[in-house]
Amino acid sequence: MTDTDRTPPATEPTDHTGMRVLTLQDCLARLGSAPVGRVAFVLDGEIAVLPVNHTLDGLDICFRTAGGSKIQAAVDGDRVSFQVDGFDPARRWGWSVLLHGTAGIVDDDQQVARLVSISRPPWVAMDASSTRWVRISTREVTGRETFGS
Amino acid sequence: MTDTDRTPPATEPTDHTGMRVLTLQDCLARLGSAPVGRVAFVLDGEIAVLPVNHTLDGLDICFRTAGGSKIQAAVDGDRVSFQVDGFDPARRWGWSVLLHGTAGIVDDDQQVARLVSISRPPWVAMDASSTRWVRISTREVTGRETFGS
């Protein structure tokens, strides 16, 4: 397959590197179906990028954490990012969705109960007393996909 | 399987959430074998997290890019992070490796030729005139793994 074969139809939007631009609807579908995503935040001058089992709640991302640094970012109301992706090396195909938002702790018991009811169980055993729910209130979502070979 | 079954042997180091702590050797092996990793950097006050096809060169991460923002982070010598992970939802098993370093453009033609010779071809068609190699000079690498079920 040549590069020419991979040229998208003129109607499909692409970015400056020739990747397909995903619609908001497509980005949300992928955020909702990915079992693992990565939350990124600044901690002591370094960027932490840590996987979590997340839940899409409307336009927001919610996740449980027993981790001190993720809770601290949420308490501080930090700007955070959240990313999901998928790829198939054999086809040189991949996609990614990146979300920018603001982290906050979910304090309301009814909200927590609702999040538990719509979420898959966490993979890591968590001490209930130290576990908190974090909500990333979404400001912007973008996504890209290669055309593969 | 109960949480008790997942308790690791006393000789294996774990973090505060009970995840196995990976050795530096194990972290480097996973950085070297992962076909895709994610470079994270701050751009206009937001954290960008973007997948790249990377090459492990000693302790450093190198990748090609035709993307303006990744090149800009490297030209500016920014602190960046690089992350790889893997997971199996059926086993509730996952691991991740996070690297902190400083990005820089690879300007030396001999270095570029060597990187091309040791790297897999990129997935995205890149215009040779705008493609640059970026090296992340590593300061710190850490990794974690769940014990799964």
Side-chain angles (χ1 to χ4, degrees):
Chain A
M1 177 165 270
T2 67
D3 289 345
T4 310
D5 293 330
R6 277 188 240 139
T7 303
T11 50
E12 280 195 87
T14 59
D15 72 3
H16 72 287
T17 62
M19 293 181 78
R20 177 189 288 131
V21 176
L22 302 180
T23 63
L24 174 60
Q25 192 171 33
D26 202 356
C27 290
L28 292 173
R30 294 176 194 223
L31 284 165
S33 60
V36 170
R38 299 151 200 101
V39 58
F41 54 98
V42 176
L43 177 70
D44 297 334
E46 302 278 11
I47 303 170
V49 184
L50 300 173
V52 295
N53 300 119
H54 63 286
T55 298
L56 181 69
D57 184 30
L59 293 175
D60 295 347
I61 294 292
C62 299
F63 60 90
R64 294 175 182 86
T65 181
S69 62
K70 279 173 281 192
I71 288 181
Q72 196 54 51
V75 168
D76 294 345
D78 282 354
R79 289 194 157 207
V80 302
S81 293
F82 188 80
Q83 192 259 13
V84 294
D85 60 31
F87 50 86
D88 177 356
R91 291 172 51 213
R92 296 157 51 105
W93 171 80
W95 59 269
S96 69
V97 171
L98 179 62
L99 179 156
H100 297 313
T102 306
I105 295 284
V106 180
D107 274 328
D108 181 81
D109 288 345
Q110 283 190 322
Q111 266 203 57
V112 168
R114 193 176 61 77
L115 289 172
V116 170
S117 74
I118 65 173
S119 299
R120 294 165 286 224
W123 293 2
V124 180
M126 291 186 181
D127 173 13
S129 66
S130 63
T131 298
R132 305 292 295 272
W133 278 87
V134 173
R135 174 182 295 276
I136 302 177
S137 300
T138 299
R139 281 193 309 276
E140 186 183 5
V141 184
T142 54
R144 299 287 184 276
E145 183 172 40
T146 69
F147 286 88
S149 60
Chain B
M1 177 168 269
T2 68
D3 289 347
T4 311
D5 293 330
R6 277 189 240 140
T7 304
T11 51
E12 280 194 86
T14 59
D15 72 3
H16 72 287
T17 61
M19 293 182 77
R20 177 188 288 132
V21 177
L22 302 181
T23 64
L24 174 60
Q25 194 171 32
D26 203 356
C27 289
L28 292 174
R30 294 176 194 221
L31 283 165
S33 61
V36 170
R38 300 153 198 100
V39 58
F41 54 97
V42 175
L43 177 71
D44 297 333
E46 302 278 11
I47 303 171
V49 184
L50 300 174
V52 295
N53 299 119
H54 64 286
T55 298
L56 181 68
D57 184 31
L59 293 175
D60 295 346
I61 294 292
C62 299
F63 60 90
R64 295 175 182 84
T65 182
S69 62
K70 281 172 281 193
I71 287 181
Q72 196 55 51
V75 167
D76 294 345
D78 282 354
R79 289 195 157 207
V80 302
S81 293
F82 188 80
Q83 194 260 11
V84 293
D85 60 30
F87 51 85
D88 177 357
R91 292 172 50 214
R92 294 156 52 104
W93 170 81
W95 60 268
S96 68
V97 171
L98 179 61
L99 179 156
H100 297 312
T102 306
I105 294 285
V106 180
D107 274 328
D108 181 82
D109 289 344
Q110 282 189 321
Q111 267 203 57
V112 167
R114 193 176 61 76
L115 288 173
V116 170
S117 73
I118 65 173
S119 299
R120 292 164 288 225
W123 293 2
V124 181
M126 291 187 181
D127 173 13
S129 66
S130 64
T131 299
R132 306 292 295 270
W133 278 87
V134 173
R135 174 181 296 276
I136 302 176
S137 300
T138 300
R139 282 193 309 277
E140 186 184 5
V141 184
T142 54
R144 299 286 184 276
E145 182 172 39
T146 69
F147 286 89
S149 59

